[in-house]
Every structure is written in C-alpha cells, then in structure tokens.
Amino acid sequence: MTILVADRASAVSRGATKTQRQSSAKSSVGALLGVTRAAGPLASLASLGGESQLDGQGSTSRETALTTTLSARVTQVLPNGYLVV
C-alpha cells in the first residue's frame, strides 16, 4: 500500500508603528555685568527646538508545502473498514 501525505501551511503578520515627539528650550539673559536689561545679541542667549517623528509599517508572510509518499503494510482491517498499517 502507498500512502500520500500532503500538508500546506501559511501565515501572515502585519504591524504598524507611529510615534511623535516635540521638545523646546529657551534661555535668556535678564542682567549682564550690572546692567538690569540686556540688549543686542545677548538679550536672547539661546533658543533651541527639536522635533522627531517616526512612521513605520511592516509585513511578513510565509508559506510551506510538504508532499511525500510512504510505503506501508496493512496488518489489520477493522470492522468499520479502516486499515491498520
């Protein structure tokens, strides 16, 4: 007797990621060398800002197939007609 074995499996996985971040910092000089009000380029000594954003998507899939044949010997026939190999 020859037995044919066939198996097929597949899987799909999907994902998405989204992040966003903003930050800022500001520094100024209120008094410099005794002057109570700084003027000119030293009035606002630093002003920093930043922003970042990430959008990502991904997908994976796989598929496998197995086909094989086996040789077997029948050792018993059950009352319902099934074969014991």
PDB file of all heavy atoms in Angstrom, residues 7-51:
ATOM      1  N   ASP A   7       0.627  18.366   2.975  1.00  0.00           N
ATOM      2  CA  ASP A   7       0.377  19.365   4.018  1.00  0.00           C
ATOM      3  C   ASP A   7       0.757  20.732   3.482  1.00  0.00           C
ATOM      4  O   ASP A   7       1.774  20.882   2.810  1.00  0.00           O
ATOM      5  CB  ASP A   7       1.206  19.040   5.269  1.00  0.00           C
ATOM      6  CG  ASP A   7       0.949  20.019   6.393  1.00  0.00           C
ATOM      7  OD1 ASP A   7      -0.226  20.409   6.588  1.00  0.00           O
ATOM      8  OD2 ASP A   7       1.915  20.389   7.077  1.00  0.00           O
ATOM      9  N   ARG A   8      -0.058  21.732   3.777  1.00  0.00           N
ATOM     10  CA  ARG A   8       0.225  23.102   3.353  1.00  0.00           C
ATOM     11  C   ARG A   8      -0.132  24.030   4.515  1.00  0.00           C
ATOM     12  O   ARG A   8      -1.186  23.903   5.113  1.00  0.00           O
ATOM     13  CB  ARG A   8      -0.617  23.462   2.129  1.00  0.00           C
ATOM     14  CG  ARG A   8      -0.393  24.890   1.647  1.00  0.00           C
ATOM     15  CD  ARG A   8      -1.089  25.079   0.343  1.00  0.00           C
ATOM     16  NE  ARG A   8      -0.338  24.296  -0.636  1.00  0.00           N
ATOM     17  CZ  ARG A   8       0.130  24.786  -1.762  1.00  0.00           C
ATOM     18  NH1 ARG A   8      -0.116  26.017  -2.088  1.00  0.00           N
ATOM     19  NH2 ARG A   8       0.816  24.035  -2.588  1.00  0.00           N
ATOM     20  N   ALA A   9       0.771  24.959   4.811  1.00  0.00           N
ATOM     21  CA  ALA A   9       0.550  25.917   5.898  1.00  0.00           C
ATOM     22  C   ALA A   9       0.971  27.298   5.436  1.00  0.00           C
ATOM     23  O   ALA A   9       1.912  27.452   4.654  1.00  0.00           O
ATOM     24  CB  ALA A   9       1.355  25.514   7.130  1.00  0.00           C
ATOM     25  N   SER A  10       0.253  28.321   5.906  1.00  0.00           N
ATOM     26  CA  SER A  10       0.626  29.700   5.584  1.00  0.00           C
ATOM     27  C   SER A  10       0.283  30.595   6.764  1.00  0.00           C
ATOM     28  O   SER A  10      -0.594  30.292   7.563  1.00  0.00           O
ATOM     29  CB  SER A  10      -0.096  30.187   4.319  1.00  0.00           C
ATOM     30  OG  SER A  10      -1.488  30.216   4.542  1.00  0.00           O
ATOM     31  N   ALA A  11       1.005  31.714   6.850  1.00  0.00           N
ATOM     32  CA  ALA A  11       0.789  32.677   7.929  1.00  0.00           C
ATOM     33  C   ALA A  11       1.166  34.070   7.438  1.00  0.00           C
ATOM     34  O   ALA A  11       2.083  34.228   6.637  1.00  0.00           O
ATOM     35  CB  ALA A  11       1.618  32.309   9.149  1.00  0.00           C
ATOM     36  N   VAL A  12       0.434  35.068   7.910  1.00  0.00           N
ATOM     37  CA  VAL A  12       0.705  36.471   7.574  1.00  0.00           C
ATOM     38  C   VAL A  12       0.669  37.279   8.862  1.00  0.00           C
ATOM     39  O   VAL A  12      -0.202  37.082   9.700  1.00  0.00           O
ATOM     40  CB  VAL A  12      -0.333  37.023   6.574  1.00  0.00           C
ATOM     41  CG1 VAL A  12      -0.109  38.495   6.316  1.00  0.00           C
ATOM     42  CG2 VAL A  12      -0.308  36.248   5.278  1.00  0.00           C
ATOM     43  N   SER A  13       1.627  38.173   9.013  1.00  0.00           N
ATOM     44  CA  SER A  13       1.679  39.052  10.176  1.00  0.00           C
ATOM     45  C   SER A  13       1.930  40.479   9.701  1.00  0.00           C
ATOM     46  O   SER A  13       2.808  40.717   8.875  1.00  0.00           O
ATOM     47  CB  SER A  13       2.798  38.597  11.111  1.00  0.00           C
ATOM     48  OG  SER A  13       2.903  39.469  12.200  1.00  0.00           O
ATOM     49  N   ARG A  14       1.151  41.410  10.214  1.00  0.00           N
ATOM     50  CA  ARG A  14       1.306  42.820   9.832  1.00  0.00           C
ATOM     51  C   ARG A  14       1.381  43.673  11.092  1.00  0.00           C
ATOM     52  O   ARG A  14       0.782  43.357  12.104  1.00  0.00           O
ATOM     53  CB  ARG A  14       0.122  43.277   8.989  1.00  0.00           C
ATOM     54  CG  ARG A  14       0.087  42.674   7.618  1.00  0.00           C
ATOM     55  CD  ARG A  14      -0.990  43.332   6.753  1.00  0.00           C
ATOM     56  NE  ARG A  14      -0.874  42.887   5.388  1.00  0.00           N
ATOM     57  CZ  ARG A  14      -1.481  41.829   4.881  1.00  0.00           C
ATOM     58  NH1 ARG A  14      -2.247  41.085   5.656  1.00  0.00           N
ATOM     59  NH2 ARG A  14      -1.329  41.493   3.623  1.00  0.00           N
ATOM     60  N   GLY A  15       2.097  44.791  10.994  1.00  0.00           N
ATOM     61  CA  GLY A  15       2.214  45.702  12.125  1.00  0.00           C
ATOM     62  C   GLY A  15       2.469  47.125  11.667  1.00  0.00           C
ATOM     63  O   GLY A  15       2.961  47.341  10.568  1.00  0.00           O
ATOM     64  N   ALA A  16       2.099  48.074  12.507  1.00  0.00           N
ATOM     65  CA  ALA A  16       2.330  49.493  12.203  1.00  0.00           C
ATOM     66  C   ALA A  16       2.753  50.199  13.487  1.00  0.00           C
ATOM     67  O   ALA A  16       2.293  49.859  14.574  1.00  0.00           O
ATOM     68  CB  ALA A  16       1.078  50.136  11.636  1.00  0.00           C
ATOM     69  N   THR A  17       3.635  51.180  13.350  1.00  0.00           N
ATOM     70  CA  THR A  17       4.130  51.954  14.478  1.00  0.00           C
ATOM     71  C   THR A  17       4.111  53.429  14.114  1.00  0.00           C
ATOM     72  O   THR A  17       4.480  53.806  13.000  1.00  0.00           O
ATOM     73  CB  THR A  17       5.578  51.550  14.820  1.00  0.00           C
ATOM     74  OG1 THR A  17       5.606  50.166  15.117  1.00  0.00           O
ATOM     75  CG2 THR A  17       6.107  52.330  15.994  1.00  0.00           C
ATOM     76  N   LYS A  18       3.660  54.259  15.036  1.00  0.00           N
ATOM     77  CA  LYS A  18       3.676  55.701  14.806  1.00  0.00           C
ATOM     78  C   LYS A  18       4.001  56.392  16.125  1.00  0.00           C
ATOM     79  O   LYS A  18       3.336  56.163  17.125  1.00  0.00           O
ATOM     80  CB  LYS A  18       2.335  56.180  14.274  1.00  0.00           C
ATOM     81  CG  LYS A  18       2.327  57.647  13.931  1.00  0.00           C
ATOM     82  CD  LYS A  18       1.055  58.059  13.224  1.00  0.00           C
ATOM     83  CE  LYS A  18       1.166  59.507  12.803  1.00  0.00           C
ATOM     84  NZ  LYS A  18       0.085  59.914  11.943  1.00  0.00           N
ATOM     85  N   THR A  19       5.051  57.209  16.124  1.00  0.00           N
ATOM     86  CA  THR A  19       5.412  57.991  17.299  1.00  0.00           C
ATOM     87  C   THR A  19       5.733  59.419  16.873  1.00  0.00           C
ATOM     88  O   THR A  19       6.122  59.665  15.741  1.00  0.00           O
ATOM     89  CB  THR A  19       6.642  57.406  18.032  1.00  0.00           C
ATOM     90  OG1 THR A  19       7.764  57.443  17.162  1.00  0.00           O
ATOM     91  CG2 THR A  19       6.398  56.000  18.497  1.00  0.00           C
ATOM     92  N   GLN A  20       5.554  60.331  17.804  1.00  0.00           N
ATOM     93  CA  GLN A  20       5.869  61.734  17.525  1.00  0.00           C
ATOM     94  C   GLN A  20       6.301  62.382  18.830  1.00  0.00           C
ATOM     95  O   GLN A  20       5.735  62.105  19.889  1.00  0.00           O
ATOM     96  CB  GLN A  20       4.634  62.441  16.965  1.00  0.00           C
ATOM     97  CG  GLN A  20       4.908  63.847  16.516  1.00  0.00           C
ATOM     98  CD  GLN A  20       3.702  64.441  15.786  1.00  0.00           C
ATOM     99  OE1 GLN A  20       2.689  63.802  15.625  1.00  0.00           O
ATOM    100  NE2 GLN A  20       3.837  65.667  15.350  1.00  0.00           N
ATOM    101  N   ARG A  21       7.315  63.244  18.751  1.00  0.00           N
ATOM    102  CA  ARG A  21       7.827  63.904  19.943  1.00  0.00           C
ATOM    103  C   ARG A  21       8.280  65.313  19.583  1.00  0.00           C
ATOM    104  O   ARG A  21       8.920  65.517  18.551  1.00  0.00           O
ATOM    105  CB  ARG A  21       8.993  63.096  20.512  1.00  0.00           C
ATOM    106  CG  ARG A  21       9.599  63.727  21.751  1.00  0.00           C
ATOM    107  CD  ARG A  21      10.695  62.890  22.319  1.00  0.00           C
ATOM    108  NE  ARG A  21      11.763  62.733  21.351  1.00  0.00           N
ATOM    109  CZ  ARG A  21      12.844  62.009  21.557  1.00  0.00           C
ATOM    110  NH1 ARG A  21      12.991  61.362  22.683  1.00  0.00           N
ATOM    111  NH2 ARG A  21      13.772  61.921  20.642  1.00  0.00           N
ATOM    112  N   GLN A  22       7.972  66.267  20.420  1.00  0.00           N
ATOM    113  CA  GLN A  22       8.429  67.644  20.241  1.00  0.00           C
ATOM    114  C   GLN A  22       9.065  68.103  21.551  1.00  0.00           C
ATOM    115  O   GLN A  22       8.602  67.747  22.629  1.00  0.00           O
ATOM    116  CB  GLN A  22       7.269  68.582  19.927  1.00  0.00           C
ATOM    117  CG  GLN A  22       6.729  68.451  18.535  1.00  0.00           C
ATOM    118  CD  GLN A  22       5.644  69.493  18.286  1.00  0.00           C
ATOM    119  OE1 GLN A  22       4.712  69.603  19.058  1.00  0.00           O
ATOM    120  NE2 GLN A  22       5.783  70.240  17.217  1.00  0.00           N
ATOM    121  N   SER A  23      10.106  68.896  21.431  1.00  0.00           N
ATOM    122  CA  SER A  23      10.721  69.477  22.619  1.00  0.00           C
ATOM    123  C   SER A  23      11.319  70.835  22.259  1.00  0.00           C
ATOM    124  O   SER A  23      11.686  71.073  21.117  1.00  0.00           O
ATOM    125  CB  SER A  23      11.803  68.548  23.182  1.00  0.00           C
ATOM    126  OG  SER A  23      12.838  68.391  22.240  1.00  0.00           O
ATOM    127  N   SER A  24      11.376  71.708  23.251  1.00  0.00           N
ATOM    128  CA  SER A  24      11.997  73.011  23.026  1.00  0.00           C
ATOM    129  C   SER A  24      12.567  73.523  24.342  1.00  0.00           C
ATOM    130  O   SER A  24      12.148  73.115  25.411  1.00  0.00           O
ATOM    131  CB  SER A  24      10.982  74.008  22.457  1.00  0.00           C
ATOM    132  OG  SER A  24       9.948  74.232  23.396  1.00  0.00           O
ATOM    133  N   ALA A  25      13.548  74.405  24.225  1.00  0.00           N
ATOM    134  CA  ALA A  25      14.162  75.037  25.390  1.00  0.00           C
ATOM    135  C   ALA A  25      14.538  76.457  25.005  1.00  0.00           C
ATOM    136  O   ALA A  25      14.972  76.716  23.884  1.00  0.00           O
ATOM    137  CB  ALA A  25      15.396  74.254  25.816  1.00  0.00           C
ATOM    138  N   LYS A  26      14.342  77.380  25.916  1.00  0.00           N
ATOM    139  CA  LYS A  26      14.665  78.776  25.635  1.00  0.00           C
ATOM    140  C   LYS A  26      15.362  79.360  26.860  1.00  0.00           C
ATOM    141  O   LYS A  26      14.915  79.188  27.977  1.00  0.00           O
ATOM    142  CB  LYS A  26      13.399  79.552  25.319  1.00  0.00           C
ATOM    143  CG  LYS A  26      13.661  80.962  24.893  1.00  0.00           C
ATOM    144  CD  LYS A  26      12.398  81.639  24.411  1.00  0.00           C
ATOM    145  CE  LYS A  26      12.735  83.019  23.891  1.00  0.00           C
ATOM    146  NZ  LYS A  26      11.580  83.675  23.325  1.00  0.00           N
ATOM    147  N   SER A  27      16.460  80.058  26.626  1.00  0.00           N
ATOM    148  CA  SER A  27      17.199  80.723  27.700  1.00  0.00           C
ATOM    149  C   SER A  27      17.395  82.180  27.321  1.00  0.00           C
ATOM    150  O   SER A  27      17.557  82.520  26.155  1.00  0.00           O
ATOM    151  CB  SER A  27      18.572  80.066  27.896  1.00  0.00           C
ATOM    152  OG  SER A  27      18.422  78.728  28.275  1.00  0.00           O
ATOM    153  N   SER A  28      17.381  83.024  28.307  1.00  0.00           N
ATOM    154  CA  SER A  28      17.626  84.441  28.046  1.00  0.00           C
ATOM    155  C   SER A  28      18.429  85.025  29.207  1.00  0.00           C
ATOM    156  O   SER A  28      18.524  84.436  30.271  1.00  0.00           O
ATOM    157  CB  SER A  28      16.308  85.205  27.869  1.00  0.00           C
ATOM    158  OG  SER A  28      15.546  85.138  29.045  1.00  0.00           O
ATOM    159  N   VAL A  29      18.981  86.195  28.970  1.00  0.00           N
ATOM    160  CA  VAL A  29      19.779  86.887  29.979  1.00  0.00           C
ATOM    161  C   VAL A  29      18.968  88.087  30.457  1.00  0.00           C
ATOM    162  O   VAL A  29      18.583  88.944  29.661  1.00  0.00           O
ATOM    163  CB  VAL A  29      21.132  87.337  29.377  1.00  0.00           C
ATOM    164  CG1 VAL A  29      21.913  88.146  30.394  1.00  0.00           C
ATOM    165  CG2 VAL A  29      21.912  86.129  28.913  1.00  0.00           C
ATOM    166  N   GLY A  30      18.705  88.145  31.769  1.00  0.00           N
ATOM    167  CA  GLY A  30      17.957  89.272  32.336  1.00  0.00           C
ATOM    168  C   GLY A  30      18.857  90.416  32.760  1.00  0.00           C
ATOM    169  O   GLY A  30      18.461  91.574  32.732  1.00  0.00           O
ATOM    170  N   ALA A  31      20.077  90.100  33.160  1.00  0.00           N
ATOM    171  CA  ALA A  31      21.023  91.133  33.575  1.00  0.00           C
ATOM    172  C   ALA A  31      22.422  90.662  33.219  1.00  0.00           C
ATOM    173  O   ALA A  31      22.736  89.490  33.328  1.00  0.00           O
ATOM    174  CB  ALA A  31      20.923  91.392  35.072  1.00  0.00           C
ATOM    175  N   LEU A  32      23.241  91.590  32.747  1.00  0.00           N
ATOM    176  CA  LEU A  32      24.598  91.239  32.347  1.00  0.00           C
ATOM    177  C   LEU A  32      25.554  92.339  32.814  1.00  0.00           C
ATOM    178  O   LEU A  32      25.402  93.499  32.457  1.00  0.00           O
ATOM    179  CB  LEU A  32      24.658  91.083  30.815  1.00  0.00           C
ATOM    180  CG  LEU A  32      26.000  90.687  30.236  1.00  0.00           C
ATOM    181  CD1 LEU A  32      26.381  89.294  30.710  1.00  0.00           C
ATOM    182  CD2 LEU A  32      25.949  90.715  28.719  1.00  0.00           C
ATOM    183  N   LEU A  33      26.539  91.967  33.642  1.00  0.00           N
ATOM    184  CA  LEU A  33      27.561  92.899  34.153  1.00  0.00           C
ATOM    185  C   LEU A  33      26.950  94.128  34.806  1.00  0.00           C
ATOM    186  O   LEU A  33      27.368  95.255  34.585  1.00  0.00           O
ATOM    187  CB  LEU A  33      28.516  93.313  33.024  1.00  0.00           C
ATOM    188  CG  LEU A  33      29.290  92.183  32.352  1.00  0.00           C
ATOM    189  CD1 LEU A  33      30.072  92.731  31.169  1.00  0.00           C
ATOM    190  CD2 LEU A  33      30.227  91.518  33.344  1.00  0.00           C
ATOM    191  N   GLY A  34      25.910  93.914  35.602  1.00  0.00           N
ATOM    192  CA  GLY A  34      25.303  95.019  36.327  1.00  0.00           C
ATOM    193  C   GLY A  34      24.207  95.737  35.564  1.00  0.00           C
ATOM    194  O   GLY A  34      23.431  96.465  36.145  1.00  0.00           O
ATOM    195  N   VAL A  35      24.127  95.576  34.265  1.00  0.00           N
ATOM    196  CA  VAL A  35      23.052  96.205  33.502  1.00  0.00           C
ATOM    197  C   VAL A  35      21.797  95.386  33.748  1.00  0.00           C
ATOM    198  O   VAL A  35      21.790  94.170  33.613  1.00  0.00           O
ATOM    199  CB  VAL A  35      23.406  96.243  31.996  1.00  0.00           C
ATOM    200  CG1 VAL A  35      22.295  96.884  31.200  1.00  0.00           C
ATOM    201  CG2 VAL A  35      24.715  96.977  31.792  1.00  0.00           C
ATOM    202  N   THR A  36      20.703  96.065  34.152  1.00  0.00           N
ATOM    203  CA  THR A  36      19.495  95.317  34.508  1.00  0.00           C
ATOM    204  C   THR A  36      18.715  94.833  33.294  1.00  0.00           C
ATOM    205  O   THR A  36      17.862  93.984  33.413  1.00  0.00           O
ATOM    206  CB  THR A  36      18.561  96.187  35.375  1.00  0.00           C
ATOM    207  OG1 THR A  36      18.239  97.365  34.652  1.00  0.00           O
ATOM    208  CG2 THR A  36      19.218  96.519  36.700  1.00  0.00           C
ATOM    209  N   ARG A  37      18.975  95.348  32.149  1.00  0.00           N
ATOM    210  CA  ARG A  37      18.275  94.885  30.954  1.00  0.00           C
ATOM    211  C   ARG A  37      19.307  94.692  29.851  1.00  0.00           C
ATOM    212  O   ARG A  37      19.889  95.657  29.364  1.00  0.00           O
ATOM    213  CB  ARG A  37      17.228  95.905  30.543  1.00  0.00           C
ATOM    214  CG  ARG A  37      16.373  95.424  29.425  1.00  0.00           C
ATOM    215  CD  ARG A  37      15.006  96.127  29.523  1.00  0.00           C
ATOM    216  NE  ARG A  37      14.178  95.664  28.448  1.00  0.00           N
ATOM    217  CZ  ARG A  37      13.225  94.767  28.573  1.00  0.00           C
ATOM    218  NH1 ARG A  37      12.984  94.261  29.750  1.00  0.00           N
ATOM    219  NH2 ARG A  37      12.510  94.389  27.555  1.00  0.00           N
ATOM    220  N   ALA A  38      19.535  93.441  29.457  1.00  0.00           N
ATOM    221  CA  ALA A  38      20.493  93.155  28.397  1.00  0.00           C
ATOM    222  C   ALA A  38      19.872  93.482  27.054  1.00  0.00           C
ATOM    223  O   ALA A  38      18.683  93.313  26.834  1.00  0.00           O
ATOM    224  CB  ALA A  38      20.902  91.693  28.445  1.00  0.00           C
ATOM    225  N   ALA A  39      20.706  93.972  26.154  1.00  0.00           N
ATOM    226  CA  ALA A  39      20.212  94.326  24.822  1.00  0.00           C
ATOM    227  C   ALA A  39      21.125  93.727  23.777  1.00  0.00           C
ATOM    228  O   ALA A  39      22.226  93.278  24.062  1.00  0.00           O
ATOM    229  CB  ALA A  39      20.170  95.852  24.687  1.00  0.00           C
ATOM    230  N   GLY A  40      20.692  93.756  22.559  1.00  0.00           N
ATOM    231  CA  GLY A  40      21.511  93.264  21.457  1.00  0.00           C
ATOM    232  C   GLY A  40      21.485  91.746  21.371  1.00  0.00           C
ATOM    233  O   GLY A  40      20.527  91.102  21.788  1.00  0.00           O
ATOM    234  N   PRO A  41      22.581  91.189  20.870  1.00  0.00           N
ATOM    235  CA  PRO A  41      22.605  89.748  20.640  1.00  0.00           C
ATOM    236  C   PRO A  41      22.618  88.926  21.927  1.00  0.00           C
ATOM    237  O   PRO A  41      22.361  87.744  21.914  1.00  0.00           O
ATOM    238  CB  PRO A  41      23.900  89.531  19.841  1.00  0.00           C
ATOM    239  CG  PRO A  41      24.754  90.708  20.148  1.00  0.00           C
ATOM    240  CD  PRO A  41      23.811  91.840  20.411  1.00  0.00           C
ATOM    241  N   LEU A  42      22.921  89.562  23.074  1.00  0.00           N
ATOM    242  CA  LEU A  42      22.948  88.819  24.333  1.00  0.00           C
ATOM    243  C   LEU A  42      21.597  88.781  25.024  1.00  0.00           C
ATOM    244  O   LEU A  42      21.442  88.094  26.031  1.00  0.00           O
ATOM    245  CB  LEU A  42      23.990  89.432  25.272  1.00  0.00           C
ATOM    246  CG  LEU A  42      25.440  89.359  24.781  1.00  0.00           C
ATOM    247  CD1 LEU A  42      26.347  90.047  25.785  1.00  0.00           C
ATOM    248  CD2 LEU A  42      25.853  87.919  24.576  1.00  0.00           C
ATOM    249  N   ALA A  43      20.610  89.484  24.528  1.00  0.00           N
ATOM    250  CA  ALA A  43      19.292  89.511  25.172  1.00  0.00           C
ATOM    251  C   ALA A  43      18.672  88.114  25.168  1.00  0.00           C
ATOM    252  O   ALA A  43      18.116  87.673  26.164  1.00  0.00           O
ATOM    253  CB  ALA A  43      18.387  90.509  24.470  1.00  0.00           C
ATOM    254  N   SER A  44      18.729  87.474  24.083  1.00  0.00           N
ATOM    255  CA  SER A  44      18.253  86.088  23.991  1.00  0.00           C
ATOM    256  C   SER A  44      19.473  85.232  23.676  1.00  0.00           C
ATOM    257  O   SER A  44      19.875  85.109  22.521  1.00  0.00           O
ATOM    258  CB  SER A  44      17.199  85.949  22.901  1.00  0.00           C
ATOM    259  OG  SER A  44      16.042  86.673  23.227  1.00  0.00           O
ATOM    260  N   LEU A  45      20.067  84.689  24.713  1.00  0.00           N
ATOM    261  CA  LEU A  45      21.320  83.981  24.553  1.00  0.00           C
ATOM    262  C   LEU A  45      21.147  82.670  23.783  1.00  0.00           C
ATOM    263  O   LEU A  45      21.973  82.332  22.966  1.00  0.00           O
ATOM    264  CB  LEU A  45      21.934  83.719  25.932  1.00  0.00           C
ATOM    265  CG  LEU A  45      23.342  83.146  25.961  1.00  0.00           C
ATOM    266  CD1 LEU A  45      24.294  84.087  25.255  1.00  0.00           C
ATOM    267  CD2 LEU A  45      23.780  82.907  27.383  1.00  0.00           C
ATOM    268  N   ALA A  46      20.074  81.955  24.025  1.00  0.00           N
ATOM    269  CA  ALA A  46      19.884  80.671  23.340  1.00  0.00           C
ATOM    270  C   ALA A  46      18.402  80.381  23.182  1.00  0.00           C
ATOM    271  O   ALA A  46      17.598  80.714  24.035  1.00  0.00           O
ATOM    272  CB  ALA A  46      20.546  79.549  24.123  1.00  0.00           C
ATOM    273  N   SER A  47      18.071  79.775  22.094  1.00  0.00           N
ATOM    274  CA  SER A  47      16.715  79.300  21.846  1.00  0.00           C
ATOM    275  C   SER A  47      16.839  78.016  21.036  1.00  0.00           C
ATOM    276  O   SER A  47      17.342  78.028  19.917  1.00  0.00           O
ATOM    277  CB  SER A  47      15.909  80.346  21.080  1.00  0.00           C
ATOM    278  OG  SER A  47      14.614  79.844  20.825  1.00  0.00           O
ATOM    279  N   LEU A  48      16.430  76.913  21.611  1.00  0.00           N
ATOM    280  CA  LEU A  48      16.601  75.609  20.985  1.00  0.00           C
ATOM    281  C   LEU A  48      15.243  74.954  20.759  1.00  0.00           C
ATOM    282  O   LEU A  48      14.318  75.151  21.526  1.00  0.00           O
ATOM    283  CB  LEU A  48      17.452  74.692  21.881  1.00  0.00           C
ATOM    284  CG  LEU A  48      18.787  75.235  22.345  1.00  0.00           C
ATOM    285  CD1 LEU A  48      19.388  74.326  23.389  1.00  0.00           C
ATOM    286  CD2 LEU A  48      19.718  75.380  21.159  1.00  0.00           C
ATOM    287  N   GLY A  49      15.157  74.162  19.748  1.00  0.00           N
ATOM    288  CA  GLY A  49      13.922  73.418  19.485  1.00  0.00           C
ATOM    289  C   GLY A  49      14.237  72.135  18.748  1.00  0.00           C
ATOM    290  O   GLY A  49      15.269  72.008  18.099  1.00  0.00           O
ATOM    291  N   GLY A  50      13.363  71.186  18.862  1.00  0.00           N
ATOM    292  CA  GLY A  50      13.576  69.917  18.167  1.00  0.00           C
ATOM    293  C   GLY A  50      12.263  69.195  17.970  1.00  0.00           C
ATOM    294  O   GLY A  50      11.317  69.372  18.728  1.00  0.00           O
ATOM    295  N   GLU A  51      12.209  68.373  16.953  1.00  0.00           N
ATOM    296  CA  GLU A  51      11.010  67.597  16.669  1.00  0.00           C
ATOM    297  C   GLU A  51      11.436  66.310  15.969  1.00  0.00           C
ATOM    298  O   GLU A  51      12.334  66.316  15.124  1.00  0.00           O
ATOM    299  CB  GLU A  51      10.078  68.394  15.753  1.00  0.00           C
ATOM    300  CG  GLU A  51       8.784  67.695  15.446  1.00  0.00           C
ATOM    301  CD  GLU A  51       7.844  68.554  14.611  1.00  0.00           C
ATOM    302  OE1 GLU A  51       7.874  69.789  14.721  1.00  0.00           O
ATOM    303  OE2 GLU A  51       7.091  67.960  13.840  1.00  0.00           O
TER     304      GLU A  51
END
